[in-house]
Amino acid sequence: MSPPVLGDTSPAVVASSVTPSTGATGPAAGRSDAGLSTVTAPSSTASSTTSALYSPRVPPGPPSEATSSTHGPAAEDKPSVGASSLGTASTYTWEATATSWTAPVPSSDTETSAGSPSRDTPVVTGHTTSAMAKATGSTPSPSVTHDVPTAPGRVTSHDASPAFAAMPSLAGGTPPAATSPTGAAPALGTQRGPATAPRTPAHTTASHGHQLSEPQPSHGLGPAVSLYPFGAEGGDTECIQRTVDFNSPLFKPEIGFPFGKALRDSLYFTDNGQIIFPPTDNVVPSNPNPPARGFSGREALPTVAVFWEDADFSRGVGTTWYQEYPTLGSTRDPLVRDVEAKIEKYLKTPYTARWTLKVTWEKAPAYPSQQDDAQTSTYQAVLSTDGNQSFALLLYQDGGMRWDYAGLAAGNVLIGFSSGDGYAQNNELTQKPPAVKYRPDQHRSSGTDVRGLWLYRLDSRGRVNYRLRCLAWLQAQPAPATWSTELPPCPCSRPQAELDPRYRRSRGAERGAEPPPAAGAAATPRDVSDPADTAMRVLRTASPSRAGAGVRCVYRGTSFLEGWQERAWSPPTHTTADEELEAFEWCCRRVGKPRFCTRFAEKRPRTGCEGYLPPTPASAFGDPHITTLDGLTYTFNGLGDFVLLQVGDARSSFVLQGRTARTGTAQATNFVAFAAQYISSTTTTVEWTLGSQGDIQVLLNYQTIQFSYSQDMGAEVHYSPGVLLVNASSVTATFDGTVSISISASAGLLSVVCSLPDRYRNSTKGLLGVWDNNPADDFQMPNGTIIPVNSSEEEIFSYGMTWAVGEHSLFTQPLATPEKNFTPIFLSRLRQENESQYQRAASQCRGSKECIYDTLSTGDVTLGLATQSLVEDFQEKKTALNAFPPVITGDPSLTAFRTQRVTRQYRAEGPGALFVPHISPELNISENGTLTWEPRGTAPLSVTLQAVGSQHLAALLQLSFTLCSCRTSHECDYNDTATVNGSSLQPVSPSPWQLAACRCDDGYSGPFCQHPPDPCAQGCFPGVGCDLLTGCDPCPPGLTGDGRHCSDIDECAQGTACPGNGTCTNTVGSYICSCPAGVEGEGPGCGTACGSQSCPEGFCSNGGRCHLHPSSCTPTCVCPPAFTDHRCLVAGGDFRPPASPDLPRRSVCLRVRALQNATAGEVNVTVSAILGSLEVKAFQSNTNITRMAAAGFAFAVVAEFSYGSSSSVIRFLNEELVGAIVSAFNGRRGQRDVGTHLLFEHLHLDNVTDVVKLTVAELRHYFSCALYGYEGYQLDYVGTSGFLCISPCKKGYCQHGGRCQHLPEGPTCSCTPFSIFSPAGARCEQLAVSLAAFLGILLGALALLCLLLAAACLALRLRRRHRDPWGTKDTFWRPRQFSSLTKAAERAESTRSHGSGRLWEPQLQAIDPSVQIRIKRPQVRAPNQPALQP
């Protein structure tokens, strides 16, 4: 019997009502046999109990009820768990036949416009399977032994799952007879079955009696898919790390991998059943916890979830395998062919794979794994793409998906994919119960006819994959050495290129040189050099080489920029797509990956202008004035056909003949026709004849030709193999890209310019002379005789006549009846005949002998001036052809690390050569060629170095810049670069501005390694919060682990879960205490107060952890530091801000000298050890370890330290670091105690210099208080603690006694009335008086006013009573003279009530002894005597 091939179906055996046992013992368990495998299934019983919950935890799902086992057929539908003795066994033999069927589901858009099924059309396929049981025993028993036929050579293990119901089989085809258990193993598709015996899927203690329900074998699902061969024997590579989590190496398909809307660069797989497409190579997380609700399409990491669940390979069980299949060529691996067939069969899509990856997870154990874990899962993923479409095939080993889902802590296994840009699909099993979704091998997709196979299309839109086009083109190209040996260099300037007839303009290439429209708003590099003329001009070789190749030369302005060799030379009349430019477009401009352009340059080498030799021209104008190849000018007026040039070498020969006729009636002649013949592998003859209308008629190989307009050249052209004819201001023929003849007509005369390549030097003959850079031998006759260059006109005429053609004429029409004995008139004779006319002609011709002769011989001044113009134009072009720009030497590639200053010296060689200077903040170029570059950012920059010589020709050197913006310099990978925004100022080159890739270390991530290790990046267990500093919070109650990986705590195994007589049954996150029948209680173990309660969902916010109080069952939150309320909603507490990823590092430069010869690596190790021993542990790494060549064992080391928010770290790094480094190096501890053997000389303070040092004010910009998303926090720097995020609530944010609460939108004030005021406003800053208070104040003011008025009236009344105007009534206010004697009348007057006394009586008063008093005796005057005036 021949071995089945892919697509065949092996026998399928289905047991419709078979109860597998998880406790199978003996040789039947996991036995492989060529005949029948026997599995013995024991039964068990469980006592009836009353279940009660005793735990503050609630399991994820309802607890399984204990079920009494019964004898009879019904018991076979449920698995039995527990230890029991084997009963009497009856043996059944099962036979099955399978019938395949396929039925398309009608859809409104089943057919596409092309008439083929749409990619979205669901196709339902399936198998109808009938099974017949033959009883060989009598009475069925709960313990039944079933003989199940297995495929030969396979190990089939039957555990408590429906896996054993159908044997592994290959999809499709016609199955062999089901009754034949023999046959060779399949060559492809054989799966390696699990060989270990299964374990009990859930833990139960001796008296637990907890029973698991397992999915039953499905009826009528048909055969199962087989995994592709895997393992070392299949050529796979093993990928295993005995850790809880690990990732595979990065896979980088050259053609990219279309996923969603984007073309992904790399991917990797994890131990947890994921295939991840990272945004950069430095972001490679692995989250073991899938989202509970499946993919949304907006995930941060594009992921294909093959079987995403927390796996654990750390205990030595299981492994992973992978193999890549790059199939750009025509060869196809059988596996790839089968993948293509499956895609075409099930997705109805024609498909040819270009890259395929197979990944196999073999016996993957669930977390936490145990030694000798048998409940493992084996599955496989195949990712395949043709560069435009991409697919995922997910295959699950029949019987190999055996995880104990009932014991998993989360149970959120996920199958499907998400591109992260809105395109996602969740497997239809995702929302099914665990018994279904953890057994994908027992179910089939709606579009397949086998179990355990799911297919997904991963790209969401069509695209042109330029990487694929470029790679396919590169693969088809031969090595340049096979075709590029004879290609010439480019002319060194545009004037040279345009005057060199071996090159032609290519407008099509110029249009291709225009920068492509940038997608979106792509940045354009800044060209700081900015030459005045930036027009791009492209010229190509006018004829192909013998290998059919050519050269493309690019000029900007008048200066040469760069050149490329082209294998496929295109004629100017070519109207189809230009293959060379297309390939350049794909590889160098569309891909955006510099390495593709580098590979393009390997197939199409660049070419410069080194070694360029301009052609040497010779000419004949007017009444024939001939300039030889060596530059000798003379006049020859012969009449007839003459040999102008005859040359040849080993590869080719060339002949140019000219025909003259008399110029009117003058004794002079002029050219009227030319004929040229070039002989190499073929013979090509071109003839130019002056027409009657003054035009030029051209014959090619004696046939009339028609010129057609070439869009590429912008002129009328005619191309024939071996010659290119261009009809512009002249008619030019270029033969085989070597010899060029240009014929022009003016004033009824023909003129010729002949250009020869250098290989014909020293081998020419004819009227154009002997080309050997020696004009003295140019007058050489056919017989070898040479006449002097100063010979007379008559002698030169005789010499010329020796080159008459004779019989070997190339002209179509023979010469008309020749005029024999024609003798022209010579210039000397014309001068003798009329000196005055000669002088007048000389004045008009400005001394040109050619012009004078043509004017005097023909009497036509116009003809003479036309000749003069032609001669001058010829000399100007000859001068331009031999004018070279300066040559710039120096490396055009510059690299820099961040803001590192780079200096480069360039040289310009040539007469008077100087560089065009430029000064800018970022780039300076001096006149002597010194370039200084100090990068200021990652904005694209383009610089063209320009040098100008004494002939005013400029040389250009396009510089390329590669900037590394990584965190440290040693993370820079300058060999892996990327363009910025796909931009390129020079469309003919790879982008002159590139960014170096970063290879992050120390746990950093991001495109530039700017993100510090993020403990939250790997994800936490569902429901577990994460702190940016400490990582995942603890696992939920009832679970154990690190917060990222959590597993169930077996409280029952600890023996203290159910005190007293309660029976403990473990559940996920909890346990069940079962009390004996009739026993209830409030004590522990049976009916506690919190037994059925748990924290309300979402009770604690912002990462707070909820727990129930053991006695009151009240939920309580443990909040992060920033929150002050009991539910973690109100912030206000202080917290330390995390540092920004862009925070620069503190760096210093150490100049150390070793006491012995050492390598940079040894210096790095020792210096790192010393700096790592500093008191403050802030050292990170050393960068730029450079040996100082002139200083022996001296090294310059740049050391970097990390700033933190702590003031002690900042103070140490800014104020104490240099001294601490010197002390550490010079002390015994620094030199020896760090465990290194390399010693250094004494270090001085001046050997340590600052490179980067940030003040507190500068550091402030790198710390943010937006940690919890609460607005309004203020960053403060406290000298004793450092940077703190302080709520405004602590700084008197609320005025006038307002109560402050810090909510997510910021601090909020609750205003409290006080005294007579009611505060208002956002900060209680506005005060308002209440009405009652206002009225009270008003009444009080009125009462006060009344009191004041009453007091004022009283005072006025008193004053009126004591008023004494001029002697009326006496008051004590009346002034009187001081006297110790009081007049009796006055006394009596004041005291009238006392009666009258003596006239005078002494009155003694107290006198201050310190006061001097003069007492004057009183005088008595008469009553009529007037008073004395004082």
Side-chain angles (χ1 to χ4, degrees):
M1 178 178 178
S2 61
V5 297
L6 270 175
D8 290 347
T9 304
S10 57
V13 182
V14 179
S16 59
S17 299
V18 179
T19 303
S21 171
T22 59
T25 59
R31 191 185 69 176
S32 174
D33 195 297
L36 300 177
S37 294
T38 302
V39 181
T40 302
S43 64
S44 64
T45 61
S47 61
S48 175
T49 60
T50 301
S51 299
L53 289 174
Y54 173 59
S55 172
R57 301 168 297 279
V58 177
S64 301
E65 297 180 2
T67 305
S68 300
S69 62
T70 58
H71 296 278
E76 296 179 0
D77 294 331
K78 297 183 179 180
S80 300
V81 181
S84 67
S85 59
L86 295 174
T88 305
S90 299
T91 303
Y92 289 83
T93 300
W94 298 87
E95 294 181 357
T97 59
T99 304
S100 300
W101 58 272
T102 301
V105 177
S107 174
S108 59
D109 56 347
T110 302
E111 295 296 324
T112 64
S113 59
S116 60
S118 167
R119 55 169 284 193
D120 297 324
T121 302
V123 178
V124 179
T125 61
H127 280 268
T128 302
T129 305
S130 59
M132 177 180 63
K134 299 179 180 180
T136 57
S138 55
T139 305
S141 170
S143 179
V144 183
T145 301
H146 305 290
D147 295 336
V148 184
T150 62
R154 298 178 186 173
V155 179
T156 305
S157 175
H158 310 297
D159 62 351
S161 74
F164 80 105
M167 291 298 99
S169 61
L170 293 172
T174 303
T179 56
S180 175
T182 61
L188 185 62
T190 303
Q191 59 184 20
R192 297 167 16 164
T196 57
R199 62 170 183 167
T200 303
H203 171 84
T204 57
T205 54
S207 60
H208 297 168
H210 179 57
Q211 187 171 343
L212 279 177
S213 62
E214 286 282 0
Q216 299 307 307
S218 302
H219 299 269
L221 286 182
V225 72
S226 293
L227 304 190
Y228 291 107
F230 62 89
E233 64 275 11
D236 290 359
T237 300
E238 186 176 17
C239 176
I240 186 63
Q241 298 176 27
R242 296 305 176 187
T243 56
V244 176
D245 287 310
F246 66 88
N247 297 338
S248 73
L250 281 174
F251 303 97
K252 296 185 176 183
E254 280 192 304
I255 63 174
F257 193 93
F259 193 12
K261 301 176 183 177
L263 190 64
R264 313 292 176 173
D265 292 329
S266 57
L267 63 148
Y268 63 95
F269 65 86
T270 74
D271 65 319
N272 299 311
Q274 302 163 276
I275 299 178
I276 298 176
F277 297 77
T280 69
D281 293 352
N282 298 319
V283 181
V284 287
S286 171
N287 188 346
N289 303 292
R293 298 184 179 180
F295 289 121
S296 66
R298 297 297 177 185
E299 283 69 25
L301 286 177
T303 302
V304 174
V306 186
F307 192 75
W308 185 0
E309 178 62 291
D310 194 1
D312 179 13
F313 290 81
S314 63
R315 304 303 297 271
V317 177
T319 188
T320 65
W321 305 90
Y322 68 87
Q323 185 172 353
E324 279 187 271
Y325 302 86
T327 50
L328 276 177
S330 58
T331 56
R332 288 286 184 276
D333 187 275
L335 180 144
V336 176
R337 288 200 299 269
D338 186 72
V339 169
E340 295 169 343
K342 280 185 168 62
I343 292 172
E344 293 183 6
K345 174 182 178 182
Y346 295 121
L347 299 182
K348 311 301 181 186
T349 301
Y351 178 70
T352 300
R354 299 297 183 186
W355 182 85
T356 303
L357 173 69
K358 178 192 67 180
V359 182
T360 308
W361 289 261
E362 182 183 13
K363 297 181 181 178
Y367 177 87
S369 176
Q370 306 294 330
Q371 291 184 351
D372 301 326
D373 200 337
Q375 289 188 303
T376 60
S377 291
T378 300
Y379 51 95
Q380 197 172 68
V382 177
L383 267 61
S384 184
T385 180
D386 63 0
N388 300 314
Q389 306 175 89
S390 58
F391 302 92
L393 281 71
L394 312 184
L395 305 93
Y396 303 92
Q397 188 183 60
D398 187 28
M401 307 299 293
R402 302 186 299 171
W403 277 16
D404 173 17
Y405 52 83
L408 299 178
N412 293 328
V413 67
L414 181 58
I415 300 173
F417 68 86
S418 171
S419 66
D421 54 16
Y423 182 47
Q425 186 172 345
N426 295 298
N427 188 281
E428 52 263 39
L429 304 182
T430 300
Q431 301 303 324
K432 300 291 184 181
V436 177
K437 64 183 178 181
Y438 278 87
R439 299 293 184 261
D441 58 320
Q442 296 305 302
H443 303 273
R444 63 178 178 84
S445 170
S446 59
T448 63
D449 53 4
V450 289
R451 289 180 289 111
L453 172 64
W454 270 264
L455 293 90
Y456 297 107
R457 181 165 178 176
L458 301 180
D459 64 290
S460 62
R461 69 177 183 186
R463 63 175 52 78
V464 177
N465 190 327
Y466 292 104
R467 301 186 199 183
L468 176 61
R469 291 190 177 185
C470 175
L471 291 169
W473 179 87
L474 290 172
Q475 193 173 49
Q477 299 305 307
T482 61
W483 52 266
S484 64
T485 53
E486 297 180 357
L487 292 178
C490 285
C492 294
S493 70
R494 194 178 106 186
Q496 284 181 327
E498 291 176 337
L499 293 172
D500 191 334
R502 296 173 294 178
Y503 299 85
R504 65 169 183 87
R505 184 178 180 183
S506 177
R507 293 176 183 265
E510 291 170 7
R511 286 191 296 270
E514 293 299 325
T524 300
R526 309 168 318 253
D527 189 352
V528 300
S529 52
D530 192 20
D533 183 6
T534 59
M536 306 296 294
R537 185 63 59 90
V538 179
L539 287 95
R540 287 168 147 165
T541 46
S543 298
S545 67
R546 288 190 294 176
V551 170
R552 181 173 78 251
C553 306
V554 184
Y555 299 86
R556 192 172 70 181
T558 61
S559 305
F560 172 69
L561 191 61
E562 66 181 356
W564 298 85
Q565 295 180 349
E566 298 181 320
R567 175 175 174 257
W569 179 86
S570 299
T573 56
H574 197 58
T575 57
T576 59
D578 192 316
E579 178 186 345
E580 295 291 326
L581 293 179
E582 257 191 344
F584 182 86
E585 175 86 4
W586 299 336
C587 299
C588 292
R589 294 174 58 191
R590 294 292 184 179
V591 170
K593 303 288 183 183
R595 67 177 182 274
F596 281 81
C597 200
T598 300
R599 293 187 58 182
F600 175 86
E602 294 172 358
K603 296 294 186 180
R604 294 293 183 268
R606 294 174 180 268
T607 184
C609 76
E610 297 81 5
Y612 169 73
L613 293 175
T616 299
S619 65
F621 303 105
D623 286 347
H625 309 290
I626 298 174
T627 301
T628 67
L629 292 164
D630 287 335
L632 177 65
T633 300
Y634 68 97
T635 299
F636 171 67
N637 273 276
L639 182 62
D641 295 344
F642 298 93
V643 176
L644 295 176
L645 185 64
Q646 183 176 319
V647 65
D649 60 8
R651 293 185 294 177
S652 62
S653 65
F654 177 76
V655 176
L656 174 63
Q657 297 177 359
R659 173 173 290 177
T660 62
R662 291 189 63 172
T663 307
T665 59
Q667 287 294 105
T669 60
N670 61 271
F671 285 113
V672 294
F674 293 97
Q677 187 176 75
Y678 182 82
I679 301 175
S680 57
S681 58
T682 60
T683 300
T684 303
T685 304
V686 179
E687 184 177 348
W688 298 262
T689 304
L690 182 65
S692 59
Q693 302 299 322
D695 58 332
I696 301 176
Q697 299 177 354
V698 182
L699 298 178
L700 174 61
N701 295 328
Y702 309 105
Q703 299 292 325
T704 303
I705 63 171
Q706 294 294 328
F707 287 95
S708 58
Y709 185 78
S710 168
Q711 295 286 347
D712 193 38
M713 290 187 64
E716 291 186 336
V717 301
H718 179 87
Y719 175 75
S720 180
V723 64
L724 173 66
L725 291 158
V726 181
N727 183 14
S729 59
S730 61
V731 180
T732 303
T734 304
F735 297 90
D736 210 10
T738 55
V739 179
S740 174
I741 304 298
S742 180
I743 308 297
S744 59
S746 176
L749 310 176
L750 288 186
S751 302
V752 63
V753 176
C754 173
S755 299
L756 293 184
D758 196 64
R759 76 173 198 236
Y760 286 149
R761 192 183 297 271
N762 298 319
S763 59
T764 62
K765 299 177 181 179
L767 293 178
L768 295 182
V770 178
W771 183 23
D772 57 0
N773 295 330
N774 180 19
D777 60 359
D778 279 357
F779 292 152
Q780 186 183 63
M781 301 180 187
N783 59 8
T785 303
I786 299 174
I787 64 173
V789 295
N790 56 356
S791 300
S792 65
E793 294 177 278
E794 292 78 1
E795 292 173 331
I796 294 175
F797 175 75
S798 300
Y799 150 76
M801 293 302 295
T802 63
W803 285 106
V805 171
E807 298 178 358
H808 303 287
S809 175
L810 299 177
F811 293 99
T812 306
Q813 298 295 331
L815 188 64
T817 304
E819 184 177 345
K820 298 182 179 179
N821 302 321
F822 172 79
T823 302
I825 188 169
F826 300 106
L827 182 61
S828 58
R829 180 180 170 186
L830 290 171
R831 184 171 188 177
Q832 291 174 2
E833 290 178 351
N834 195 331
E835 178 66 25
S836 61
Q837 285 187 354
Y838 179 88
Q839 293 300 331
R840 186 164 52 251
S843 174
Q844 293 173 333
C845 294
R846 298 193 299 276
S848 171
K849 291 185 177 181
E850 294 83 358
C851 174
I852 295 171
Y853 178 82
D854 289 358
T855 299
L856 295 177
S857 63
T858 63
D860 188 351
V861 178
T862 303
L863 179 61
L865 293 177
T867 300
Q868 180 187 9
S869 177
L870 290 171
V871 172
E872 290 175 351
D873 183 63
F874 173 76
Q875 292 300 330
E876 289 176 1
K877 291 180 177 179
K878 187 175 181 180
T879 301
L881 268 173
N882 290 280
F884 284 84
V887 177
I888 301 177
T889 58
D891 187 0
S893 300
L894 295 95
T895 59
F897 170 66
R898 299 180 76 168
T899 57
Q900 170 192 0
R901 183 173 182 172
V902 177
T903 302
R904 186 70 56 83
Q905 184 66 46
Y906 294 90
R907 301 186 184 280
E909 301 173 359
L914 291 174
F915 287 94
V916 176
H918 177 84
I919 298 176
S920 70
E922 191 167 355
L923 188 94
N924 291 331
I925 302 173
S926 67
E927 205 172 52
N928 65 355
T930 301
L931 181 146
T932 304
W933 175 35
E934 291 186 69
R936 298 297 177 90
T938 59
L941 171 70
S942 178
V943 178
T944 304
L945 202 61
Q946 187 177 12
V948 180
S950 58
Q951 296 179 327
H952 304 290
L953 289 175
L956 301 179
L957 181 64
Q958 176 66 56
L959 303 178
S960 63
F961 296 85
T962 302
L963 177 66
C964 174
S965 292
C966 304
R967 181 177 56 98
T968 59
S969 60
H970 68 272
E971 294 174 328
C972 303
D973 185 357
Y974 293 102
N975 295 321
D976 185 5
T977 60
T979 57
V980 179
N981 292 332
S983 61
S984 173
L985 178 69
Q986 301 302 334
V988 293
S989 304
S991 175
W993 179 262
Q994 300 173 6
L995 287 178
C998 300
R999 298 287 176 260
C1000 302
D1001 54 15
D1002 301 332
Y1004 280 73
S1005 63
F1008 306 122
C1009 305
Q1010 74 274 27
H1011 300 309
D1014 183 1
C1016 300
Q1018 305 287 342
C1020 298
F1021 189 81
V1024 173
C1026 189
D1027 186 274
L1028 291 176
L1029 299 177
T1030 60
C1032 295
D1033 294 337
C1035 290
L1039 303 179
T1040 183
D1042 57 4
R1044 183 168 178 239
H1045 303 273
C1046 296
S1047 61
D1048 179 44
I1049 298 175
D1050 190 348
E1051 295 89 350
C1052 299
Q1054 298 174 358
T1056 59
C1058 299
N1061 58 354
T1063 301
C1064 178
T1065 302
N1066 186 54
T1067 61
V1068 175
S1070 184
Y1071 56 94
I1072 297 174
C1073 289
S1074 302
C1075 298
V1079 177
E1080 299 291 341
E1082 298 297 330
C1086 296
T1088 61
C1090 300
S1092 60
Q1093 299 183 26
S1094 63
C1095 284
E1097 184 177 357
F1099 182 80
C1100 300
S1101 303
N1102 294 302
R1105 299 190 300 275
C1106 180
H1107 62 86
L1108 296 177
H1109 191 276
S1111 59
S1112 65
C1113 302
T1114 303
T1116 307
C1117 297
V1118 179
C1119 299
F1123 300 96
T1124 57
D1125 68 320
H1126 70 285
R1127 297 194 62 179
C1128 312
L1129 286 173
V1130 180
D1134 300 342
F1135 63 92
R1136 287 192 178 276
S1140 167
D1142 301 326
L1143 174 62
R1145 289 186 173 183
R1146 172 76 163 101
S1147 58
V1148 294
C1149 181
L1150 289 72
R1151 290 179 294 278
V1152 299
R1153 185 187 297 273
L1155 296 180
Q1156 63 196 58
N1157 191 17
T1159 64
E1162 294 171 337
V1163 171
N1164 179 41
V1165 171
T1166 305
V1167 172
S1168 298
I1170 295 175
L1171 298 181
S1173 68
L1174 297 178
E1175 181 179 358
V1176 175
K1177 306 301 181 184
F1179 172 72
Q1180 290 297 312
S1181 61
N1182 295 320
T1183 62
N1184 291 341
I1185 301 176
T1186 307
R1187 181 186 293 271
M1188 302 168 67
F1193 301 154
F1195 291 83
V1197 181
V1198 176
E1200 292 188 344
F1201 301 80
S1202 289
Y1203 278 110
S1205 60
S1206 171
S1207 61
S1208 60
V1209 174
I1210 297 173
R1211 188 183 309 109
F1212 173 80
L1213 294 181
N1214 284 353
E1215 301 174 9
E1216 306 168 9
L1217 177 62
V1218 175
I1221 292 175
V1222 172
S1223 300
F1225 268 83
N1226 298 337
R1228 176 183 300 272
R1229 176 181 177 183
Q1231 290 284 357
R1232 299 184 183 277
D1233 292 356
V1234 295
T1236 60
H1237 303 288
L1238 185 62
L1239 301 180
F1240 297 101
E1241 291 185 1
H1242 190 84
L1243 193 68
H1244 299 278
L1245 287 175
D1246 56 359
N1247 295 134
V1248 184
T1249 57
D1250 291 328
V1251 177
V1252 176
K1253 181 179 179 182
L1254 302 181
T1255 65
V1256 171
E1258 293 170 329
L1259 286 170
R1260 182 179 295 272
H1261 301 293
Y1262 296 96
F1263 291 92
S1264 171
C1265 291
L1267 175 61
Y1268 295 100
Y1270 278 61
E1271 302 292 338
Y1273 263 92
Q1274 298 174 357
L1275 181 67
D1276 276 9
Y1277 182 79
V1278 182
T1280 56
S1281 57
F1283 286 107
L1284 286 177
C1285 290
I1286 301 176
S1287 172
C1289 290
K1290 289 194 172 184
K1291 294 187 173 184
Y1293 179 81
C1294 299
Q1295 302 178 17
H1296 303 117
R1299 178 173 171 266
C1300 186
Q1301 284 189 316
H1302 205 133
L1303 300 178
E1305 60 272 13
T1308 302
C1309 296
S1310 300
C1311 303
T1312 305
F1314 68 95
S1315 184
I1316 64 172
F1317 299 103
S1318 294
R1323 300 180 61 182
C1324 303
E1325 71 277 12
Q1326 302 172 4
L1327 290 179
V1329 181
S1330 65
L1331 179 61
F1334 173 76
L1335 294 176
I1337 293 173
L1338 181 60
L1339 293 176
L1342 292 174
L1344 180 61
L1345 182 60
C1346 292
L1347 288 174
L1348 290 175
L1349 289 174
C1353 293
L1354 180 62
L1356 182 62
R1357 181 177 181 82
L1358 291 175
R1359 182 173 180 81
R1360 286 176 179 176
R1361 290 184 60 186
H1362 293 281
R1363 186 173 54 187
D1364 184 20
W1366 299 103
T1368 55
K1369 288 188 177 181
D1370 190 17
T1371 65
F1372 66 92
W1373 298 108
R1374 181 168 58 87
R1376 56 183 180 270
Q1377 293 182 350
F1378 174 80
S1379 174
S1380 61
L1381 298 176
T1382 304
K1383 191 175 180 180
E1386 295 175 354
R1387 177 71 177 173
E1389 207 173 295
S1390 60
T1391 57
R1392 291 180 180 180
S1393 61
H1394 292 85
S1396 60
R1398 289 186 295 261
L1399 182 62
W1400 296 99
E1401 64 180 3
Q1403 181 69 34
L1404 191 62
Q1405 296 180 354
I1407 300 174
D1408 186 357
S1410 63
V1411 178
Q1412 293 183 2
I1413 304 174
R1414 293 182 68 184
I1415 304 174
K1416 184 178 179 180
R1417 186 183 299 274
Q1419 293 181 352
V1420 179
R1421 64 177 177 83
N1424 57 353
Q1425 186 179 356
L1428 296 176
Q1429 297 297 327

